Structures are given as structure tokens and as C-alpha cells.
């Protein structure tokens, strides 16, 4: 009778069979094992190491298959912080070189279980691609988050160290589950206050939690900290008083946090102070800090994101600034380089600095938070973007010199390799604002662990852990995710267009953007160069000659309008409106079709998602559905704004088989969004 | 050399070959003939009649073909105010029974010329379908226009009679050119002030202008005028004091305006005063006024648009009120009946009052102004709507008893036949707000002249006179116009849905609309009856039994859910969501496809129009393009609002091959437009 009632209920409320979820569990929706199951299998290791105990506990709680034996073997240095898993139907053996390797192995096993992979015959060896897999939080001490779209900062500085939010540990666990082992806790536009003794104590409370998950804390530091905080005359890196202040500060930190990771520095960039304020070089500044950290095995990540409002192409400036300094940096300095030469656009060619520094450590900085990709409103799966950079062949050390191989130690052995990304995490219940934003956090972790994973595989892992293991759900969602970044490129800035966003906040289109007396290199016209002749930034030898920073044969390919891939065409060339593209269409027509394709593709995403109603809990279904509606409206906004604006130069009709604009250019120009630090 | 330059200019500015126009000329874009042409042909008639002189002058100015001989033949009474045109390549002969017939003939010839029709072998006889072809202006004395969307009223009462705007004559000429011969100058919700001596003098100045174009002026009168204006105790139609007041007022008017047409009365309707205020009937009220007008051959048009907030279906009330009075009305009273039983919806079945009054004169009232069709923002060519009513077979006098034949004297001989429509005219430079609104003014005039004209033919006449005689322009625009009304029905209220507009102003969707304590018959839920079972108003014998007011076999067709045409289904039936439609789809799915079709159809209209850039002057091109953008956005708004709202009852998914909603229902519910009399 009870069965009949339940069946009846299922019939009446087909959608309620999937329980509501708020996304707070991320991809960690493990199911606790029953007592029976737990009784029939053992998780064995003898250790008092907190990380090992945690690894064991996770398996005790959630592993529902055969018995597992864990072991640390200090001889297996080649494993780094990776692991080996072998086993059959009855027993699994896990070996790691470090305790945290066992924790990673535990999460690996739980992932296999959660994604319904076979575990009866295992022979796995995993060694991470990069030593330091680090998230950069652009969180301010007032809990606003620069370029954050998931609510206020997780870090409740006012409450620390007294009150410990349970989310600190949840956050650490999520990171550990995908191999992230380092965190820069504060904004690169850093407040000196973070180095005050009061904040160091607060930081310790976070470090203590993170440590159990194998995560080290790092700080962004303000180069003027000695003067502002310590009262030194200046912050000149060659001033002994300044050197001493940093030395003492580092010592103070390490006394409290013995495994502190090091500093991230944005210096002489966008108004931040730096060594150039005193006539010193980036190397002078970085080395001074590196020396202070050296004894503690601390690391300096020194950002190459520098540009000045000069007549020189912004895209060239980081290269020009850093290449002359090659060889001058200490070995515990890593130059942290944004994936592209401008600033986290939906698409950029790889940054020519990769491989250009022969004798300096280099690392990639990605942006997970979608500053230039529709904030937390647009679904854009970024693994393909990350992979595009990592797999780019720079030819720096000959063919095959991909960005990944240049930075992971393969081609350029380094004391420590690293990869960074700017986090998209805030205190929203679902962490990232958009449920699919979680996938980008996940994807960065997975690629930092193994950059050879395919975007598809990572998507499949994430979907099946986050939503459903049913292929009828996984397949369409994976397809939707795989196309999503290209979709955003299409409706925002196809064919190599870049930086035509609304001023400052970067939400929505503003190709007409201009600010009286504003920096040219912050203005869209600086980047698109639309005129009656055509569109795009001439970076060939006839123009800014940015292509000279690339090596042959890349230089020849990018520099030749006939060879240059469509996706970078307007990045490197000022192309006539009537120029015949590879498709046979004129450039103007091609541009129109790209924008329109973007709109149609978002609508197709809506259809994919709506078809899945009932296959995912209703709360997350509706929340994603709602975001897709915004994205769909925004795509039309972008298309209309860009085509109607560029049409004032091209003077050509939008091809008539394309859906017509529904907005007036003049109306769109009036849109002024009041967006500050976060939404 | 000059030719080369001109060709060069044409090449450089292809769009500028069509000179900008502002639409102020309407369809009267005649080209003045050269002196040479005028010299070689004569326009002959000997008369001092001002109308005849005007007819001659129009031909002298604009007729560029053979000579024309005009004549009035008072014996040809069968022609009424029509005309005969015969002629060959050398000479045309025009004969009319009345002077105005020559004017109509002149405009007919000019239309033939303007639309490139052959005029070498003519044998034309035109006799108008209706005697009185009248526009109703809902213009208030403060120059706001109720349901007006083309700016303030044309009538500048403050300036009259001293200052005469040139637009008064332009307006009269436009009307005459399409055969309109009567005008109600003021709002049916009438101010008593219009009957003050001061305003009668002002009115005279308009009448004097209109007279030359064969147009008589009429007034809407407030039934309480005697009490308010004349100081009588009441306005009881049987009160001798009241009767005398009206008699004197009518006399006063006719002394000033000898050809005054008569009164239009909205009585005991939507708060207006009327005979029922004194326990009298509509017949008592109408007859009292008819008696006052009788001696002057004046006419009373008495509106049947009456309904009360009772428990009775609003759709039935006019019929119930008037049928018992049949036979009680004087022969100079015409009952003016809205085309449908509710209120000028995008689609209604014909009003069952047509033919139901056996011994009373009946006339149709259409609404040209788009109160319920997107104001002056939406392109909706209304000839098909007008024809749909006129061609509706009521079966009142057996098969073939169309509304047209019941009201044009064919089946029910009348002293005077009439047809009315509420104007869409204001002081906007293009008269009607939307350039295509002009087509509806034109179409009403043409159908009032000859209701057997096809919508296509009228569209073709209008397009070729208003825009271009090029078939490459005419054909797509005609096709667009022909589908446009059905398109609006699709995205606003398909399948017989009605009156789910936003409260009061009626712009945009508000199917959820409700006002605490408001009249139920002003609330959308009163009309759509959405519930978990289905949608629609049950007007069968199981419901309000409104179908009983229709004659067999219409009654059987409308009353049977299987037989009822889809377009009236939800008007007459409460249909289950899963009911299988003729298409094989469920009612819910069919509803979804209809709304989506509406959206796609507006987008297709945009494409049609955009393809015509350069074939029409740029000003009108851009203005129409801009309106189509609004319509396109509004269509999506309508679709999302209605589907998302009705979905809360149907609990069914929107078919997944349909473009998904881009709005949130809750957001749409928050939209409150501040729209008063006009925009």
C-alpha cells in the first residue's frame, strides 16, 4: 500500500523526485556509507599526521567499496605530492610520498566512486603538473571583492580570529579535493594593513584550518607597506631601513605561520606603488623581498601586468619591461604572467612573455572570475580558454614549446613551478554566484593538477559529481558547456575584437566608450580602431609591431592577414570592412554572422537546459534557468550595440537573413550601470 | 559632365536618391503637372459650386493625362454621391449626381494616375456602400485624445475661430480623397461645454472648411448637458424643460451650421449619464434627441456599448439591453454597435446585436486607433479585421446575412446607412504616430466606400500612393501588412483569448491583473478564467450561454468545442490544457506555438522592412524600423508574460523546440507604465 502511495506521489509530482539543492555542497555531494558497509571494509593506516587522519576520515565516511590500505613512502620523491593507487575487487593500496598525497588520493577515489567509474582493477599514478596550484583572491579587507560577483568576501576579518566560520573549512576541503594547495588571501591592489600584526594573527587562524588540507596561505603585499605601516622614510628597495622592515615582517609572519607561502606583488601597475617610484627596477624590488623570504623557502610571485599610458601599444609593454631584466631575478621569484597580453579578455592570443624570459621563472595567471565574461550572470565554461593558452606553442625552445611545458618544468627546470588563477568565490550560498561558475573553479584545479586533461573530461567529472551521473543529463550539459565560451566570444567580441566593454565595471558593451581626459588605453576605441576603412588594431610591422614579440613562425602567421586565424584577425590587423574572409564573406558580414550566432547559441543553451527540467533539483534548475535568461537578453544587447555602432563606420547593411536589431543605438548609449566592487 | 557628376553622386549616396519625407502628405503625394502638360489638356465644367470648383482645381493641378469633362446630372439619383467615369485616350467624361461626386471622381482619377493604372479606356461606376462614412474623434476639449497615440488633438479650440490651422483643410482633403463624409469632432465621453454657444461658433469655423470637401460635422453630446449647461432641474428626456432645451440648442446649431450632421451619444455606459438615470430607456433618450433633429434631417447615432458590473457575462449585455427596445426607435436613430461584443480586441467574433434588431437601424463602429493593438508602436494593418466583421454571416435574414449587408441597406432598407470608426489621428507630423497607421485610416475610408474591396487591393493602393509604385517594394510590404494583424493576435491573445491587457491604459500584457475592489469585468481573470483545468470563458449553455444570442447554425458552431474555429475557441469555451486541438497538439502546446509564432512573425516583418532600405526615403524608413524594433521587443514581452503566467496553471513545459522565455514572470508583474490620455 505504501509503495502504491509513493508511486502515486511520484506520478503526481514528477519534478519533486530530485530534492532541492542550493549548490553549497559544490561537487562534494558524497553520500555517507551505511554502518553495514563500513563494517565490511577497512581503511587502514597508522599515523597521527593530521592530513593523513583527514584522508582516512573522508574514506571512512564516504567510501562504500572494498578495503583500502594507505601508506606514505618517503623514498618515492618522483611522486611529489601525487599518489599511486593499485588494487583489485577486494583491496586497494594507496601510496604517497607526502601525507597530502594520501588526501588527494582519497578524493580521487571518492570521485571515481561518485562518477560511477569502475574501481575493481586500479592502477593509477598521478603526479601533479605544477608544484604550486594557487588561487588569487582579490578580496579587500572591507569584504568587498574586486571583480567579485558572488557576494562579499568569505573572510570575515572583523570576526577573526575569535569566530571561525564553518565555510573556511568547507572552502579548504573543496580546494584540496581538486588539488589546489595555495591561496593568496587578499587583493593584489593590496592594503598595507594586511601586514599589521593584528591581521597576521587573523591570518594564522585561517592558515591553521587550511594546513590540514595541504593549503598554504600567501599574501598580496603593497610595496609601500614599510613607509605606511612601518614609518620608514620611503619604501625604496635598496634602503637598508626598508630591507630590514621587510626582513622583520617576514620573520614575524613565519613565527606565527611556519608554512607561510610567500608574497604576490602588483607593483608599478595601474597606480600601485613599486620599485620604479625610487628609480629601481622590478628586479630590485622582487629580489629584495625574495631575499627576505629565502630562509623560509618563501616565494615571490611578481606580476608582469604592467603598462603605462604611453604611445606604445599596451599589448607590448609587459614584454618590453621584463625582457631586459631577464636573468636578474632570484630563483625564488616567479614572474606571474596573465594568459594574454591585455587583460583576461574572452579571447586573447597567448602573452609573448611566455618563453621570452630565458633565465627567469614564469607562471600563468588565469582569471576564473568572469570580469570580462558576463560576471556571474553568463554561463561560460573556461577550461577551453585555459587550455587554449596552455596548449599555445610559443616556439620559444623550438616547436612544441607550449605555455604549459614552459611553465611546468618540462622545458625550463625550476625550483618551483606554479600556476595561478583569480578566484570567483564569495559568500553566496552556492559560492560562485552562477552554479556553473563552480565548474571553472573545479576546472582550474584539475588543470593545475594535470594540464593534459581534456576540457570534456573535466566537464564530465564536474557535471556527474555536481548534478547527475545520468548520461541523458551529462551529454547535453557537457555539449552546452563546451560551446559556451565560444558563444560568449561570438556575442561579445568575435574575430579578435577586445576590450570594448563598458567603462570600469566591464559589464555590457560600450564600443563607443570614451571619457574626456581618460587614459586612451582604457578606452574601447584604443582597441577596436573602427573607422571608415575597417576595424581592428594593426599590430603588424605597419602598425605597433607587437607581432615582433612573437617568435617565428608564429610571428609570420599572426602578422600575415591571409594566414592569421580568424579568431585573432582584428587583434593583429586593421581589416577593411569589405575584406574577403576565409568563409568568402566580407569582414563586415562575417562580424554580423558571428554576433548573431552568439545570440542563437545562447538561446540554444536555454533550450538544452529547459529540456532537463526534472532531471536536476528544482532550485538549481530554476536558478540556472534564470541566469540563462539574463544571458540571452545580454547577448541581444551586445549584438545590437556592437553591430549598430560599427555600422556607423562600415555603412553596410546587416545581412538581411540575420535577425534584426531590436534596440536603438542611442538608447543603448544611455545605459549607465551603477556597479561597484561586487553584485 | 553634369550627368557624370550626378551619376557619381548616385553611386556615392545610393540612399539619398529617395528624398526624405515626414509622412505629412499621407497618400496624397500628387506631383504638380508642368505648364506644358496643362496647356495641352482641358478640365472643363461651368459651375460656381465650391465643391465642383475644388474638384476641378485638384485635376488642374495634378492631372497629367487627357482632357476631362465634368458634369452633374441630377437625374442619376441611383449614383447617390458616387460617380461614373468613361473615356478614351483623348477625353474623359465624369458624371455625378451630386457635386461631391465629382470631387470623389477627381481623387479616383488621381489615384489611378498615382498608382500607374491605365486611363486610356475607362468605364467606371462607383456608388458608395454606406451613406454616412464617419470618423469618430475621441478628442477632449483640453486637446488630450482618449486612446490617442499620435500627439494632441488636431483641434486647437483655444485658437478657434480666429486662427485656422492649415491642417484642418489638409485633414478634410485626406478624408474626401477616400470618401469620408462625416466627422464626430469630440470624445464620446463628452464634455457638456462643446454645446456652449462659444464652442458652436468655434465648430462653425471647422464646418466651413470641411463643407468644401463634402464633410459634415457631428458632435458627441453629454446627456446631462441640459442640467449642466442649461440649468434645467434634471436631464430627464421626458421633462418638457429638457426637451425644449435640446430643441433650442439644435436650432442654434443649425442656424450657424445648416448642414450639421447630428449627435453621437454614449449614454449609461462606463459612468456616462443617460436616460436610465431617470428611469427611462435608451429609446426614450434617443428619440427625444431624434425629434429635436428631425426637422433638420439630423441623425442620432446611439451607442450600444453598454454593460454593468452585474453577474451577467459582459458580452451579453448590449444584446439584452437593446433587443427589447427593437421597434421603439425613431427612423433617424441609428444604433451604433462595436464590431465585437466586448471592446475592440485584436480579434472578437461579430457582435450578436447585428441583425438582432429587426426594426431598428444598425451601424458598425470600428476602432482605427490601436487601443488594444500596441498603440502607435505596433504595425497592424486592420483591413482584414474590418473585413472579418463585415463579412461575418449572422444568418439573421438567412444565409448570406453578413454584417455588411445588414447595415448597408441591402437586406434592411434604411433612411440612411452608416459606418463609423474611431480615428487614430493627432497632431503628429505624420498624423497617426506610426506611418503604417495611415493605412488603417485609408482602409476604413475605402471600405466605407466599398466594403467589397479586398484588403490586398486596399493595401496595394495605399502602399503605391504612400511609398512606391515599384512592385519590388509593393509586394513584400503588402505581404507584411496582410499578415500583421494575425501576428498581433498571435503574440497578444491567440485562440480567442481577450482583454488580458494591462489595466486602464491597455498597453502590454497583464493576464495576472487584479485591482482590489475593482470591477470584475475590467479584470483579465474575468476573461481568461485560467485554472488548473484549463483556459477560456465558457459561454456555452453550460456557462454564460452567450452563444444563445447567435442564430443557428452559428450558435451550434460556436457552441461546440469540436466545431468552434480555433480563433474563437477560448472566447466560447473553457478548454482543458490537454485538450487535443485540430492540429493534433494539446491546447497548451498550441497556445505556446501561437505566441512563439507571433514573435517570429514580427522578426520576419523587421527583415522584410530592412531589406527595403534605399527603396523608400530614409526618414520614414528609419521611423518605421524603429517602431518595428519596439514591436519586436513587445512581442517577446507578451509571449513571456502570457506563457509564464498561464504556465502557473497548466503546469506543463513550454514545448522545447520553442525559443525560451527571457524574462522572469515576477519581473514582468512589476512593470507599471505611467500612460495617461496619449503618448
Amino acid at each position: 500500500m505504501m509503495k502504491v502511495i509513493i508511486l502515486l506521489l511520484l506520478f503526481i509530482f514528477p519534478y519533486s523526485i530530485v530534492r532541492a539543492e542550493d549548490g553549497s555542497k559544490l561537487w562534494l555531494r558524497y553520500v555517507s556509507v551505511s554502518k553495514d558497509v563500513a563494517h565490511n571494509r577497512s581503511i587502514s593506516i597508522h599515523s597521527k599526521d593530521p592530513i593523513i587522519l583527514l584522508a582516512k576520515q573522508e574514506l571512512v565516511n564516504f567510501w562504500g567499496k572494498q578495503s583500502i590500505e594507505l601508506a606514505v613512502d618517503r623514498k618515492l620523491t618522483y611522486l611529489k605530492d601525487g599518489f599511486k593507487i593499485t588494487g583489485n575487487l577486494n583491496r586497494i593500496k594507496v601510496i604517497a610520498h607526502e601525507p597530502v598525497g594520501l588526501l588527494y588520493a582519497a578524493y580521487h577515489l571518492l570521485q571515481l566512486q561518485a562518477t560511477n567509474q569502475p574501481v575493481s582493477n586500479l592502477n593509477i599514478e598521478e603526479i601533479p603538473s605544477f608544484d604550486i596550484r594557487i588561487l588569487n583572491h582579490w578580496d579587500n579587507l572591507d569584504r568587498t571583492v574586486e571583480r567579485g560577483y558572488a557576494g562579499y568576501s568569505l573572510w570575515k576579518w572583523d570576526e577573526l580570529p575569535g569566530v571561525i566560520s564553518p565555510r573556511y573549512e568547507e572552502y579548504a576541503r573543496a580546494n584540496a579535493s581538486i588539488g589546489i594547495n595555495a591561496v593568496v588571501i587578499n587583493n593584489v591592489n593590496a592594503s598595507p594593513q594586511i601586514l599589521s600584526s593584528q591581521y597576521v594573527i587573523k591570518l594564522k587562524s585561517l592558515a591553521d584550518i587550511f594546513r590540514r588540507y595541504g593549503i598554504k596561505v600567501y599574501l598580496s603585499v603593497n610595496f609601500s607597506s614599510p613607509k605606511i605601516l612601518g614609518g620608514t622614510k620611503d619604501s625604496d628597495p635598496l634602503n637598508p631601513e626598508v630591507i630590514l622592515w621587510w626582513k622583520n615582517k617576514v620573520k614575524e609572519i613565519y613565527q606565527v605561520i611556519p608554512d607561510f607561502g610567500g608574497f604576490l606583488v602588483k607593483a608599478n601597475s595601474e597606480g600601485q606603488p613599486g620599485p620604479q617610484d625610487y628609480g629601481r627596477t622590478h628586479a630590485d624590488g622582487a629580489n629584495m623581498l625574495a631575499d627576505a623570504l629565502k630562509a623560509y623557502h618563501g616565494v615571490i610571485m611578481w606580476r608582469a601586468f604592467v603598462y603605462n599610458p604611453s604611445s606604445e601599444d599596451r599589448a607590448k609593454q609587459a614584454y618590453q619591461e621584463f625582457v631586459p631584466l631577464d636573468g636578474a631575478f632570484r630563483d625564488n621569484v616567479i614572474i606571474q604572467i596573465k594568459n594574454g597580453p591585455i587583460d583576461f579578455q574572452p579571447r586573447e592570443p597567448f602573452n609573448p612573455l611566455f618563453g621570452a624570459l630565458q633565465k627567469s621563472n614564469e607562471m600563468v595567471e588565469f582569471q576564473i572570475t568572469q570580469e570580462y565574461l558576463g560576471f556571474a550572470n553568463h554561463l561560460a565554461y573556461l577550461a577551453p580558454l585555459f587550455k587554449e593558452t596552455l596548449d599555445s606553442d610559443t616556439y620559444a625552445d623550438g616547436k612544441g614549446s607550449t605555455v604549459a611545458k614552459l611553465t611546468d618544468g618540462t622545458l625550463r627546470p625550476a625550483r618551483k613551478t606554479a600556476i595561478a588563477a583569480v578566484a570567483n568565490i564569495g559568500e553566496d550560498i552556492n559560492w560562485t554566484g552562477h552554479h556553473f561558475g563552480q565548474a571553472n573553479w573545479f576546472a582550474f584545479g584539475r588543470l593545475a593538477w594535470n594540464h593534459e586533461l581534456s576540457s570534456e573530461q573535466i566537464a564530465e567529472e564536474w557535471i556527474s559529481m555536481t548534478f547527475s551521473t545520468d548520461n541523458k543529463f551529462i551529454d547535453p550539459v557537457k555539449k552546452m558547456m563546451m560551446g559556451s565560451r565560444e558563444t560568449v566570444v561570438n556575442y561579445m567580441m568575435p574575430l579578435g575584437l577586445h576590450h570594448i566593454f563598458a567603462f570600469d565595471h566591464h559589464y555590457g558593451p560600450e564600443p563607443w566608450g570614451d571619457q574626456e581626459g581618460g587614459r586612451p588605453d582604457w578606452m574601447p576605441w584604443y582597441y577596436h580602431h573602427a573607422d571608415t576603412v575597417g576595424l581592428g588594431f594593426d599590430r603588424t610591422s605597419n602598425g605597433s609591431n607587437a607581432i615582433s614579440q612573437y617568435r617565428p613562425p608564429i610571428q609570420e602567421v599572426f602578422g600575415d592577414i591571409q594566414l592569421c586565424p580568424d579568431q585573432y584577425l582584428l587583434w593583429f590587423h586593421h581589416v577593411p570592412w569589405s575584406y574577403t574572409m576565409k568563409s568568402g564573406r566580407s569582414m563586415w558580414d562575417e562580424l554580423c554572422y558571428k554576433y548573431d550566432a552568439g545570440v542563437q547559441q545562447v538561446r540554444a543553451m536555454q533550450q538544452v537546459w529547459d529540456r532537463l527540467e526534472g532531471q536536476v533539483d528544482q532550485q538549481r534548475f530554476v536558478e540556472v534557468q534564470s541566469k540563462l535568461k539574463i544571458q540571452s537578453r545580454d547577448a541581444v544587447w551586445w549584438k545590437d550595440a556592437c553591430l549598430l555602432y560599427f555600422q556607423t563606420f562600415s555603412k553596410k547593411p546587416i545581412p538581411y537573413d540575420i535577425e534584426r536589431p531590436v534596440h536603438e543605438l542611442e538608447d543603448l548609449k544611455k545605459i549607465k550601470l551603477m556597479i561597484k566592487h561586487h553584485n
Side-chain angles (χ1 to χ4, degrees), chain A:
Chain A
M1 182 62 195
M2 196 58 186
K3 270 188 185 164
V4 173
I5 291 174
I6 289 170
L7 280 172
L8 208 67
L9 285 172
L10 289 178
F11 182 75
I12 297 171
F13 306 109
Y15 293 158
S16 59
I17 57 174
V18 187
R19 277 183 57 200
E21 294 196 40
D22 56 16
S24 61
K25 291 187 172 180
L26 295 160
W27 50 85
L28 302 164
R29 297 158 61 251
Y30 307 138
V31 181
S32 295
V33 296
S34 68
K35 278 185 185 169
D36 273 5
V37 169
H39 185 76
N40 287 323
R41 61 100 181 95
S42 65
I43 311 295
S44 59
I45 186 167
H46 296 290
S47 169
K48 288 183 179 170
D49 182 289
I51 297 184
I52 292 174
L53 288 175
L54 177 66
K56 180 176 176 179
Q57 193 58 48
E58 292 281 26
L59 292 170
V60 165
N61 290 345
F62 303 111
W63 182 253
K65 314 271 181 174
Q66 66 271 57
S67 293
I68 299 176
E69 189 184 321
L70 303 168
V72 169
D73 185 341
R74 287 293 182 183
K75 294 190 298 292
L76 302 177
T77 52
Y78 80 99
L79 277 180
K80 298 184 176 173
D81 49 346
F83 53 83
K84 282 178 67 170
I85 303 174
T86 51
N88 55 31
L89 201 58
N90 300 315
R91 180 159 292 272
I92 288 173
K93 170 110 190 180
V94 179
I95 300 176
H97 172 252
E98 293 174 29
V100 73
L102 294 182
L103 183 63
Y104 296 145
Y107 290 123
H108 190 91
L109 284 166
L110 293 175
Q111 175 170 320
L112 291 178
Q113 176 179 265
T115 56
N116 291 341
Q117 302 299 306
V119 294
S120 53
N121 190 10
L122 296 177
N123 193 0
I124 296 166
E125 184 176 277
E126 293 259 340
I127 303 168
S129 298
F130 298 91
D131 299 327
I132 305 174
R133 305 171 294 274
I134 190 166
L135 284 183
N136 293 0
H137 285 265
W138 286 359
D139 295 17
N140 298 311
L141 302 189
D142 65 2
R143 296 193 62 222
T144 58
V145 180
E146 183 156 336
R147 312 306 177 184
Y149 315 107
Y152 284 94
S153 169
L154 280 178
W155 326 126
K156 300 189 172 182
W157 294 107
D158 286 351
E159 297 181 355
L160 288 170
V163 181
I164 301 297
S165 161
R167 298 198 80 180
Y168 302 151
E169 182 162 355
E170 290 166 22
Y171 162 82
R173 183 178 181 234
N175 276 338
S177 75
I178 50 176
I180 288 171
N181 65 355
V183 174
V184 182
I185 216 82
N186 63 318
N187 191 355
V188 286
N189 294 318
S191 164
Q193 203 59 32
I194 193 73
L195 289 175
S196 67
S197 301
Q198 181 195 5
Y199 272 86
V200 171
I201 297 300
K202 292 171 186 282
L203 185 65
K204 174 187 186 300
S205 63
L206 292 176
D208 289 346
I209 297 162
F210 297 169
R211 184 176 299 112
R212 209 155 62 100
Y213 289 87
I215 296 167
K216 288 185 178 179
V217 295
Y218 289 65
L219 287 179
S220 291
V221 296
N222 184 305
F223 205 77
S224 289
S225 297
K227 185 177 173 188
I228 296 171
L229 213 60
T232 57
K233 182 170 70 72
D234 55 35
S235 296
D236 182 346
L238 303 194
N239 175 353
E241 187 192 20
V242 169
I243 296 169
L244 183 64
W245 186 87
W246 280 111
K247 200 173 166 188
N248 288 334
K249 179 54 69 180
V250 166
K251 185 177 174 188
E252 177 194 345
I253 295 171
Y254 277 94
Q255 278 172 345
V256 179
I257 307 168
D259 58 349
F260 179 74
F263 295 147
L264 171 64
V265 189
K266 176 179 181 178
N268 294 120
S269 168
E270 298 184 324
Q272 290 298 315
Q276 293 177 336
D277 303 346
Y278 309 98
R280 315 303 179 189
T281 68
H282 284 285
D284 294 331
N287 291 342
M288 179 274 290
L289 292 173
D291 290 343
L293 287 161
K294 181 88 178 175
Y296 309 96
H297 309 292
V299 169
I300 289 292
M301 294 164 175
W302 192 270
R303 294 176 92 229
F305 179 66
V306 298
Y307 63 104
N308 293 305
S310 68
S311 62
E312 186 57 274
D313 180 1
R314 172 174 165 184
K316 295 173 66 180
Q317 296 186 37
Y319 182 102
Q320 290 176 329
E321 188 81 42
F322 279 84
V323 168
L325 299 174
D326 191 23
F329 293 101
R330 299 285 188 269
D331 70 352
N332 60 335
V333 173
I334 312 179
I335 307 303
Q336 180 167 319
I337 304 164
K338 288 190 180 183
N339 59 297
I342 296 290
D343 191 15
F344 298 138
Q345 300 301 291
R347 167 166 282 128
E348 300 194 29
F350 69 87
N351 196 318
L353 251 185
F354 290 115
L357 301 180
Q358 303 282 346
K359 294 166 274 180
S360 314
N361 302 313
E362 293 185 335
M363 63 186 283
V364 183
E365 176 181 322
F366 287 119
Q367 193 181 44
I368 304 174
T369 193
Q370 294 173 222
E371 174 181 358
Y372 296 101
L373 287 126
F375 293 10
N377 285 334
H378 294 202
L379 193 164
Y381 175 53
L382 299 182
L385 186 160
F386 301 156
K387 292 278 289 183
E388 195 168 284
T389 300
L390 291 169
D391 294 345
S392 289
D393 194 343
T394 67
Y395 286 82
D397 294 356
K399 187 164 166 56
S401 303
T402 64
V403 172
K405 288 183 182 170
L406 283 167
T407 57
D408 73 354
T410 306
L411 297 171
R412 307 271 180 94
R415 208 167 67 87
K416 279 207 174 165
T417 61
I419 188 167
V422 183
N424 61 345
I425 301 161
E427 70 167 354
D428 275 4
I429 191 71
N430 71 9
W431 301 88
T432 55
H434 197 309
H435 287 288
F436 278 77
Q438 298 178 359
N440 295 330
W441 177 6
F442 182 88
F444 169 70
R446 296 291 290 136
L447 285 172
W449 182 268
N450 179 3
H451 61 65
E452 292 185 352
L453 289 172
S454 71
S455 299
E456 288 90 340
Q457 181 176 334
I458 296 169
E460 189 162 331
E461 291 174 0
W462 177 79
I463 297 164
S464 54
M465 289 205 287
T466 305
F467 285 114
S468 166
T469 52
D470 187 339
N471 281 329
K472 288 203 299 291
F473 184 91
I474 294 172
D475 291 346
V477 173
K478 187 171 66 176
K479 204 172 158 208
M480 172 175 78
M481 289 171 70
M482 286 305 297
S484 60
R485 178 267 187 137
E486 201 65 37
T487 293
V488 176
V489 170
N490 282 339
Y491 66 70
M492 280 189 181
M493 37 202 88
L495 301 180
L497 281 175
H498 51 292
H499 223 311
I500 56 176
F501 296 92
F503 187 71
D504 197 33
H505 56 68
H506 303 152
Y507 193 86
E510 208 172 272
W512 52 82
D514 202 6
Q515 306 271 334
E516 211 176 337
R519 283 176 65 159
D521 55 354
W522 287 355
M523 300 306 148
W525 51 260
Y526 178 93
Y527 300 97
H528 63 62
H529 284 266
D531 57 24
T532 54
V533 175
L535 183 67
F537 198 134
D538 185 352
R539 292 189 165 112
T540 68
S541 54
N542 298 322
S544 78
N545 205 22
I547 57 144
S548 66
Q549 296 182 343
Y550 292 91
R551 284 184 174 71
I554 298 293
Q555 192 179 102
E556 285 72 29
V557 171
F558 288 171
D560 184 335
I561 192 169
Q562 302 284 348
L563 299 176
C564 185
D566 279 2
Q567 62 191 30
Y568 302 131
L569 190 66
L570 304 179
W571 186 283
F572 289 111
H573 299 272
H574 189 65
V575 180
W577 297 109
S578 56
Y579 175 79
T580 303
M581 304 284 289
K582 295 176 185 70
S583 66
R585 292 177 180 143
S586 71
M587 183 272 281
W588 164 251
D589 282 4
E590 188 78 12
L591 191 75
C592 292
Y593 283 107
K594 285 287 183 191
Y595 274 105
D596 191 62
V599 169
Q600 305 304 333
Q601 285 160 342
V602 180
R603 291 190 186 146
M605 287 164 67
Q606 288 187 281
Q607 284 182 320
V608 168
W609 187 251
D610 278 6
R611 280 179 201 272
L612 298 170
E613 184 164 13
Q615 292 189 50
V616 59
D617 60 287
Q618 193 64 6
Q619 179 176 345
R620 289 189 296 173
F621 173 78
V622 168
E623 287 170 359
V624 170
Q625 183 185 51
S626 178
K627 295 282 191 185
L628 286 170
K629 288 177 179 179
I630 298 172
Q631 187 170 4
S632 196
R633 298 197 305 268
D634 284 358
V636 173
W637 175 24
W638 269 98
K639 172 191 161 194
D640 284 6
C642 295
L643 292 187
L644 291 174
Y645 175 71
F646 291 132
Q647 191 179 34
T648 66
F649 298 95
S650 82
K651 310 275 187 200
K652 291 170 187 293
I654 296 163
Y656 293 115
D657 55 344
I658 286 177
E659 193 176 303
R660 315 316 293 166
V662 295
H663 297 102
E664 299 295 336
L665 179 57
E666 292 313 308
D667 293 338
L668 297 178
K669 284 184 175 179
K670 287 178 198 144
I671 295 173
K672 296 288 170 206
L673 301 177
M674 291 292 112
I675 300 175
K676 290 295 175 189
H677 281 292
H678 60 87
N679 64 2

